[in-house]
Amino acid sequence: NTVVPLELIDKSIGARISIITKGDTEFSGILRGFDEYLTMVLEDVTELKYTSEGVTRSKRSSILLNGKNICMLIPGGIEDHEERDRK
């Protein structure tokens, strides 16, 4: 059975994912939808910006993310990884 990438992303709808962008930014949120260009709608979003001064964190209720800026999609999310680190 061949599974195409869009099918894998489709299975992540309703789940938390992390997205690393071309810039120095990472988003973690619940995937609500996407299109064929990987433009994504995320809810309950945590945004991490990495700068030479350190990391800044901000919360957003929802975002529309342009697929052209996405480098990597990671199942789970920032909170999931932090929770594992505490154990």
Side-chain angles (χ1 to χ4, degrees):
N1 291 337
T2 301
V3 178
V4 296
L6 290 178
E7 288 179 49
L8 292 173
I9 297 169
D10 190 51
K11 290 180 181 181
S12 295
I13 290 180
R16 184 163 292 279
I17 63 169
S18 286
I19 299 173
I20 298 174
T21 64
K22 290 179 184 176
D24 294 324
T25 306
E26 179 177 348
F27 297 95
S28 177
I30 298 170
L31 179 63
R32 292 298 176 204
F34 68 96
D35 66 11
E36 65 271 15
Y37 303 106
L38 291 185
T39 301
M40 297 187 171
V41 176
L42 298 176
E43 290 181 345
D44 187 25
V45 180
T46 300
E47 177 182 359
L48 297 176
K49 284 192 178 193
Y50 299 92
T51 65
S52 58
E53 292 84 37
V55 180
T56 58
R57 178 186 289 246
S58 58
K59 295 288 256 177
R60 309 218 185 286
S61 59
S62 63
I63 62 168
L64 178 66
L65 186 62
N66 186 326
K68 290 181 180 182
N69 296 322
I70 296 173
C71 287
M72 187 184 310
L73 300 170
I74 304 165
I78 296 167
E79 289 79 10
D80 291 346
H81 298 296
E82 288 174 350
E83 192 65 34
R84 282 186 215 127
D85 291 343
R86 286 189 207 124
K87 293 181 181 179

